[in-house]
Structure formats: C-alpha cells, structure tokens
Amino acid sequence: LDPGLTTYSRRVLHSTYDVTGLLAGGKNVVGVTLGNGWYNPLPMRMWNRLNLREYLTVGRPRFIAQLNIEYDDGSWQTVTTDESWRVSEGPIIRNNIFLGEIYDARKEKPGWNAAGYDDNSWANAVRTDKPEGVLQAQQQPPIRVTRVIKPVDITQPQKGVYIFDMGQNFAGGVRLHVNGPAGTKIKLRYGELLYPDGTLNVYTSVAGQIKKGNKNSENGPPNLAYQSDVYILKGDGDEVYVPQFTFHGFRYVEITGYLGTPSPETIEGLRLNADVENAGSFLCSNQLFNRIQNMVRWTFLSNLFSVQSDCPHRERFGYGGDIVPTCTAFMLNFDMSAFYPKVVQDFADAARPNGGLTETAPYVGIGDNGFGEGTGPIGWIIAHPHLMDNLYRYYGNERIIRQQYDVSKQSFKVIQSHAKNNIIDFGISDHESIDPKPTALTGTAFYYDYARLLSVLAKIIGRDDDLALYAQQAEEIRNAFITTFLKPGTGQFDTHTQACQAFALHYNLLPENEQKAAFDVLVSEILDKHQGHLSTGIFGTKFVLEELSNRGRADIAYDIVNDRTFPGWGYMLENGATTLWEHWAFSDNTYSHNHPMFGSVSEWFFTTLAGIRPHPDAVGFDKIIIKPQITGNLTWVECSYNSIRGNIISNWRKENDVVKLKVSIPFNTTARVFIPANDIDHITENGVPAQQNKDITFLKMQDGAAVFEIGSGTYEFAVRQEIHSTPMEYK
C-alpha cells in the first residue's frame, strides 16, 4: 500500500527508509515485491458503469529505487535500479486492491531475499517509461498495523464453513495460522454483517455495488465483487499468511477449506491505517457518549489510506463532501498536519481542464451535479479551500495557501460562470438527509462560503485586491440568498426544514432582526415536527448541533445525541454498530457500515461539552477558546487536545452546586475561558477569588458565562451556582 494513491500523471510519491539496522555482516541484498496497488486496477465496472482504468493513470507495476550508503571514512556509494536487477514471478498469483489476493505458497522461493541465493534462472529487469507525474517525497504518514485484534467468537453455520467474529468493524487484514498438506486451499471472505442464519453477508461491502445479476462487458471481472483472499498451502508444517497488496473493511471473516476445527488462534485481525498520531481524547460521565466517540475513532482510522475515504471496502475514494463536515473532528482526534496537505494537493492534481475541482481526489470519473467536464458538486469541491483554512487555524500552515490559492480561485470562476443571479440551484445538497434536500438553498450557501473563504485566504497571504473582491462577492451572494429563500417576518427559509434553517444560521445568511425567529423555527422543527430527532444529512447534522449549542440550547443538542431511537448514533449502537453507518437507517444490502460522514458529532464533544476550539483569528492554535457547556445529566468531562503549541486540557466536574473547571494552556498562547456563572462574585481560581488573581483578566459577562483572558499555565476554577434547569434565552 506504499507509496500512496495520487494522480500519477501529475505526481508519483516515493518513500524513504533508514535500512541501516537491517544490515548483516558480509554480503547484503535488496529484495522487493511488487503488487498492483492502485496503479493497476482490474477493469471492473463500478456501479455497473464506471471503469476506473478509463479515468486513473494506470499501468503495470514498476519500481524505482536508490540506496545511499555512507561509509565510516565519509565516502558515499549509490546503488540504483537498472537492467542488472533480476526479476521472477512470485507466490502471489493475483492481487487486487478491492478484491483481495491469491497466494500459492508452493511457488515461494526460499532465500530469494537473502545474499547467496542462486538467481541464474531469473530474468533481467526491463527498463520502462516512468509515469508522467513528478517524483516527490511522500510526506503523509505510512500505513502500518496499528492494532492486533483477537476474535471474540467462532461459529459454524454450515458444514465446513466457519465464521470468525472479530467483535469490531475495521479496515485491514488478517494473519492466518494454518497447517495441512500441500495444495490445500483456504478461502477467506470478509463482510460487515451476518444473515439471521449466521452465514456471511457480504453485500454492504461489495466493491462498486457489483452484485449478482449485473452484466459486465469485459471478460474477467467478477459477478459479485466481494472481498476475499485465498491461501494455498505448501505443506511445510505451521504456515502463516498475511495479505500484502490489499486491505478489507470487515467485522466477520468466513473460512472455508480449513482442515480440522479452527481455534481462536487461527486468525488475528490486523488493523491498518495511515499511522497518524493521536491528538485528542474525550471521556465523560455519559457512557453512551463514550461509546459514540469510540465508534467515531474506529471509523475515522478505517478511512485513512493515503486519502480520507468514504468507506474502506466498496469505493475507497477521497470524496470532498465527506471531508467538509468531518475534517475538524479528524483534526481534534488525530494529527492531520501531514495528511491533509496531501489531500489538498490531490484536489489540485485532479482539477479538470476547465479548472474546476472534482468530487473525488484523485478523480475517478464521478461528477454528480457538478459544473461540467467532470467537476464535482459545490459542497464537495469546497473541501479544497475549507481544508486550507483549517490547516492554517490548527497548524499555522500558510505555505499550503500560497501554493494552492490560485487553484481554488480558478475553481470559483467555474462556479461563478454557472450562477444565476448569484444563486446555485443544483448540487447533491445535504446528502443522506431524511427531509427532502433543499438543493438551491444549500448550493447557494456553499457558494457564499466559498467566496468568504477566498477572502479569508487572500487576507492571510496579502492578496488585498482579492480580499476586497471576494468579500464583496460574498455579500452579494448573501443578499441574493436572503432575498430568494427568506420569508420575511417568519424566520423561515425555503421549506424551513432543519437543514434549511441550520444552513442559514450557520453561515449567518439572515438579517439580525430575523435571527431569533429563524432559530425558533429550527427548534420547532426538531422538537415539534420530529419529536426531538434530527432530519438532516451530513452537513446539516453538524450545523444543527453547533447552532443549538452556540445559541443557548445545548440541552436540545445533548438530548439528540443521547437518544437511542431512530435516527441517531445511539440507534446505530443499539443495532450492533461498532463503526458509523453511511445511512441513518439500518441496511443489510446497500449502504456501508463504516462511513465517516456522520462523525462530526465527535467535534461537538470537543468543542461544546469540553469547549476546546481555536479562536477565529488563531494561527496554529495560538489563540484558544475554552467554553464548556454544562448541560444534560453530565457530571464530568475530561478532554485534551495536543495542539502544535502543546497540550490543551479542559476538564470539568459538577459536584452538588459547585462546578470545578481545570484548564491547561500551552506556552506562547493565550485563551479566553468562559466560566458558566451568573456573576463573578462566586468564582475562584485555585481557591482565591478570581477578581483578586493578577494572572487572569476579567473581560465581560457573555452567554451566561464570565469571560476571562488567561496566559499559559494550569488553572483551577470553581464556581458555586444553581445549575439552571431551563435554557438560556437567545440573544
């Protein structure tokens, strides 16, 4: 799986390894095994129509390497790939990134990767053309085994068929331990679900919905594109097999062909993902919330394989629409500082001839409701400027903006050419919503935000003319949005669904005198029309939780997340989920059970319940907001975020009528801390009245809290108060 997936006609990545520790005394040898990877996909018709080979830069496996040797005397020697290298077929007789491997251990060549092996029967390597793209160093974290998982159950639903339940849906592979005569064929199949009779259900993880009954025009592609590996024994005692050139998304493993009765030691699960470092942790007194947070993290890691994918089995594509609502949650949980710049570059590399950006990066031929020539819908292509803004706020990455600003600018021109009176009336909208999708409203809201983001990015890099231009453009779109969608005097936007109201509120696309009415409509849609449930899709879900929490009704957001009935995260868990579903409703045939797009709830845990977020003017988290919401039946929260400046902590505990808040702020940063209180008279810091502490500055009372400015250090606030059972009035 190394190096990572890119648009190979634009960029080819190379990896660097320090191999000094692998040297042995005497002669040494370099041995390499090549697989098809992303570069040589089968001509499968995804969704019975899309042949990836027609859109990706593809070819047969090829290899380039340079071994740099520095001797003790300071001299150097370089060994490079050329025609003197020797080549042979190996025991992997088929490998496909989506479908799996077939490995015939009888074809192994013992000692081939050690010095002294007789390779006289091997052929010389053949020089080949390189892909068109520039060779660049790979900077995103490599894919590694990050956890070993033991099965929790083994069943035998049919004679000779064994099902291993790994207890957790995840992405990766297995380590198979087996013993038997040569030629014995062991088949492994993977799936997320079981049928009621205990047999394996592969249908939610079938590549590209290629299922029985689909008619493919090519010879060779499968009629049912399930994930499987085949291992053929060499008959040499205990044998161990680990697939090398594929990965799977699964909870259950079906084994057929096994001689005897397998044991729990027969299979180990190997979780694979880009080895991003852990950045954040969240725990609280609500065990359902902790389970949701755990479910989100497993889902996120399942979808980090050089691109942030939509699912680790069916598609594995880098959809921008999944990135926009979840990237903040990803960054609060994991260090994405090296991963996301690669994603931004992927979108630039995939840009279409007209300069428009694509729905997925790399481009795989998908362009639903886009702007022509294969461009993507507006809520998906906005991932490019949206990621740049976040990379600047979280990591201080200004370089990526300077490199990529003109790419985003050109894409905006394409969008602009399709706007009618500053309205974009097409797109995918609030994907997977329960209510009908307000396509024109969401398209125009994204259009506004794209212009706003360009003005923000222009300011950062000193493009003053563009700053004024895009700020004006954003205001014109805002006015058009209000004129087109607002019913004056009612606070209602368009069909006034939850998504309609949340989009208008989130982007502030409404007059000041309509703010309260618009928010009241949102609350009514939730409480009255939907009995306290969401009706939103991937964008609206994030916006609803944020707007409720930011406008004094975190109690409603809390109840939504805390609910165990349809639709919601608790409902998923109650129905056996261990990773997030693609669809609010349970599916046993179509929708993925390992999909990150509803993972924005994790952001809500960090930014609302713990209250950690960057200040709107932050550069690399140098300015911090700590604004915890004491809501619901929570009695404590423990949360930390390891920013590039250092570790930030926001822990609070409620004991009777006292709330204690422990805050840690790293060096060279400042923070504004919001202490839930009606006044400052009952607030102490480290046992001393807060007003008497010269290290903190009281600024104002705001949103039912006392606001203090603090510098680096650890602070322990306490406030004696009555915890309000009624929500704050919106102001």
Side-chain angles (χ1 to χ4, degrees):
L1 306 178
D2 211 20
L5 170 64
T6 57
T7 302
Y8 298 120
S9 60
R10 300 293 300 275
R11 267 186 320 146
V12 179
L13 303 179
H14 66 80
S15 302
T16 302
Y17 306 92
D18 182 354
V19 298
T20 309
L22 301 176
L23 289 174
K27 293 183 177 181
N28 285 269
V29 66
V30 177
V32 177
T33 305
L34 299 186
N36 290 318
W38 301 101
Y39 187 57
N40 194 31
L42 289 173
M44 300 189 300
R45 293 269 176 194
M46 309 285 275
W47 305 284
N48 207 29
R49 60 180 176 83
L50 194 69
N51 183 355
L52 298 182
R53 297 183 70 87
E54 296 175 3
Y55 301 98
L56 294 170
T57 303
V58 300
R60 295 190 63 190
R62 57 195 68 188
F63 176 63
I64 186 171
Q66 180 171 300
L67 180 66
N68 297 322
I69 307 166
E70 181 182 7
Y71 292 98
D72 288 338
D73 62 5
S75 61
W76 282 80
Q77 180 181 356
T78 300
V79 178
T80 59
T81 43
D82 57 25
E83 292 91 337
S84 69
W85 285 58
R86 307 284 277 175
V87 198
S88 175
E89 293 293 327
I92 301 175
I93 60 177
R94 191 196 78 173
N95 66 95
N96 176 261
I97 200 78
F98 287 98
L99 302 180
E101 281 187 4
I102 299 176
Y103 186 101
D104 189 345
R106 297 170 300 179
K107 296 180 178 295
E108 290 179 348
K109 303 179 185 300
W112 73 273
N113 55 356
Y117 177 77
D118 183 2
D119 62 2
N120 287 327
S121 62
W122 289 31
N124 286 92
V126 176
R127 181 180 296 271
T128 185
D129 294 333
K130 67 180 181 65
E132 299 172 17
V134 176
L135 194 62
Q136 293 183 351
Q138 177 166 277
Q139 295 183 338
Q140 79 270 19
I143 296 168
R144 293 191 173 107
V145 175
T146 57
R147 185 171 296 189
V148 176
I149 302 167
K150 304 293 185 179
V152 297
D153 193 24
I154 305 173
T155 56
Q156 186 180 8
Q158 297 173 348
K159 185 178 180 180
V161 178
Y162 298 94
I163 302 289
F164 285 72
D165 180 1
M166 307 308 295
Q168 173 67 52
N169 204 358
F170 67 100
V174 298
R175 182 182 291 120
L176 172 67
H177 300 263
V178 65
N179 190 313
T184 302
K185 183 183 293 186
I186 308 294
K187 185 171 185 178
L188 309 170
R189 289 203 310 159
Y190 305 86
E192 298 180 303
L193 300 172
L194 298 179
Y195 287 116
D197 65 359
T199 58
L200 185 68
N201 179 354
V202 301
Y203 274 75
T204 63
S205 59
V206 169
Q209 297 290 328
I210 301 172
K211 298 176 178 179
K212 291 180 179 178
N214 290 349
K215 302 300 181 183
N216 298 287
S217 58
E218 296 87 5
N219 293 322
N223 195 32
L224 178 62
Y226 56 74
Q227 309 168 91
S228 70
D229 297 311
V230 175
Y231 180 74
I232 303 172
L233 277 68
K234 58 187 173 185
D236 189 19
D238 295 332
E239 302 180 37
V240 179
Y241 167 61
V242 178
Q244 297 180 56
F245 295 106
T246 191
F247 65 95
H248 307 294
F250 64 100
R251 172 175 173 170
Y252 300 97
V253 186
E254 174 196 87
I255 295 186
T256 55
Y258 190 90
L259 299 180
T261 303
S263 70
E265 288 71 40
T266 300
I267 280 183
E268 297 171 292
L270 306 177
R271 186 181 74 180
L272 294 169
N273 54 265
D275 196 11
V276 291
E277 291 186 9
N278 187 61
S281 65
F282 174 87
L283 280 173
C284 69
S285 58
N286 186 320
Q287 290 307 309
L288 176 61
F289 287 5
N290 295 336
R291 292 176 65 201
I292 294 172
Q293 168 69 0
N294 186 59
M295 177 170 65
V296 170
R297 286 175 60 92
W298 275 93
T299 308
F300 282 2
L301 292 177
S302 295
N303 286 280
L304 291 180
F305 283 77
S306 89
V307 299
Q308 180 184 318
S309 62
D310 59 321
C311 56
H313 33 57
R314 298 183 330 173
E315 300 176 46
R316 309 177 178 189
F317 302 143
Y319 282 96
D322 295 73
I323 293 169
V324 171
T326 63
C327 64
T328 304
F330 268 92
M331 291 187 292
L332 288 167
N333 280 282
F334 305 106
D335 180 0
M336 304 295 287
S337 60
F339 191 96
Y340 274 150
K342 189 260 185 187
V343 174
V344 173
Q345 182 66 57
D346 284 340
F347 276 97
D349 288 348
R352 306 305 295 149
N354 64 2
L357 297 175
T358 53
E359 186 170 341
T360 70
Y363 177 62
V364 295
I366 301 173
D368 296 333
N369 292 282
F371 299 93
E373 298 186 27
T375 56
I378 189 166
W380 274 244
I381 64 180
I382 201 174
H384 188 260
H386 186 75
L387 276 177
M388 285 192 281
D389 183 53
N390 275 283
L391 285 166
Y392 184 72
R393 302 298 165 202
Y394 277 74
Y395 307 120
N397 190 337
E398 182 179 327
R399 175 182 296 179
I400 194 71
I401 301 173
R402 294 189 179 279
Q403 292 173 342
Q404 294 289 323
Y405 173 78
D406 287 328
V407 174
S408 262
K409 183 177 175 179
Q410 178 58 37
S411 181
F412 184 79
K413 290 180 180 179
V414 175
I415 300 169
Q416 202 170 23
S417 69
H418 287 78
K420 296 179 181 179
N421 300 317
N422 281 315
I423 300 295
I424 298 293
D425 62 357
F426 55 94
I428 294 179
S429 189
D430 195 23
H431 184 51
E432 294 299 343
S433 68
I434 295 171
D435 280 335
K437 295 184 291 186
T439 303
L441 181 144
T442 55
T444 306
F446 284 130
Y447 184 33
Y448 162 81
D449 193 44
Y450 205 129
R452 183 196 66 82
L453 282 167
L454 285 178
S455 70
V456 169
L457 299 177
K459 181 179 180 180
I460 292 170
I461 60 175
R463 299 277 193 98
D464 294 340
D465 291 343
D466 282 0
L467 164 61
L469 172 67
Y470 291 119
Q472 178 183 350
Q473 181 71 46
E475 187 61 24
E476 292 174 0
I477 299 169
R478 183 176 185 271
N479 292 334
F481 182 97
I482 294 171
T483 300
T484 303
F485 301 111
L486 175 63
K487 299 174 184 177
T490 68
Q492 295 178 352
F493 283 86
D494 200 33
T495 55
H496 57 86
T497 62
Q498 292 179 27
C500 291
Q501 301 303 117
F503 266 80
L505 290 162
H506 180 76
Y507 291 121
N508 194 29
L509 296 171
L510 68 170
E512 188 63 31
N513 63 356
E514 296 275 4
Q515 295 261 351
K516 184 179 185 304
F519 184 65
D520 288 345
V521 172
L522 172 62
V523 171
S524 178
E525 283 288 314
I526 296 168
L527 297 183
D528 301 330
K529 185 174 181 179
H530 291 279
Q531 293 76 52
H533 293 89
L534 291 170
S535 63
T536 46
I538 61 175
F539 305 108
T541 296
K542 169 183 162 70
F543 298 164
V544 165
L545 294 182
E546 286 184 0
E547 293 311 307
L548 289 172
S549 302
N550 293 339
R551 296 171 184 266
R553 295 308 305 264
D555 60 314
I556 300 177
Y558 183 94
D559 289 342
I560 288 172
V561 181
N562 197 39
D563 197 275
R564 297 171 186 261
T565 59
F566 175 85
W569 300 274
Y571 179 77
M572 295 182 191
L573 287 168
E574 290 293 298
N575 285 272
T578 60
T579 45
L580 296 167
W581 298 347
E582 178 184 7
H583 193 58
W584 287 121
F586 179 84
S587 170
D588 66 355
N589 181 270
T590 302
Y591 294 101
S592 161
H593 284 243
N594 198 343
H595 221 85
M597 63 188 185
F598 287 123
S600 56
V601 66
S602 180
E603 177 186 351
W604 183 78
F605 292 150
F606 280 87
T607 61
T608 295
L609 298 186
I612 298 175
R613 65 182 69 189
H615 188 279
D617 297 329
V619 180
F621 241 106
D622 61 342
K623 299 177 181 178
I624 304 162
I625 299 290
I626 304 290
K627 190 179 181 181
Q629 299 272 5
I630 315 298
T631 190
N633 60 0
L634 281 184
T635 57
W636 59 268
V637 165
E638 293 182 356
C639 184
S640 68
Y641 171 65
N642 191 20
S643 74
I644 63 167
R645 310 281 178 174
N647 202 34
I648 302 166
I649 294 175
S650 175
N651 297 341
W652 62 262
R653 184 172 295 273
K654 184 169 62 175
E655 298 174 349
N656 298 321
D657 61 346
V658 175
V659 173
K660 297 180 179 179
L661 173 65
K662 180 179 179 180
V663 176
S664 289
I665 305 299
F667 291 116
N668 300 317
T669 65
T670 60
R672 288 196 173 186
V673 181
F674 290 67
I675 310 297
N678 296 321
D679 55 53
I680 63 172
D681 295 337
H682 299 94
I683 302 175
T684 62
E685 195 287 306
N686 200 23
V688 177
Q691 297 180 78
Q692 299 178 18
N693 190 328
K694 297 180 180 180
D695 294 329
I696 64 177
T697 303
F698 172 70
L699 299 178
K700 57 185 175 180
M701 298 296 298
Q702 178 183 332
D703 298 336
V707 185
F708 294 90
E709 185 89 15
I710 62 176
S712 60
T714 298
Y715 304 81
E716 295 188 7
F717 294 95
V719 56
R720 186 174 298 278
Q721 62 172 18
E722 289 187 17
I723 304 300
H724 295 288
S725 59
T726 56
M728 295 179 291
E729 180 183 357
Y730 168 68
K731 297 180 181 179

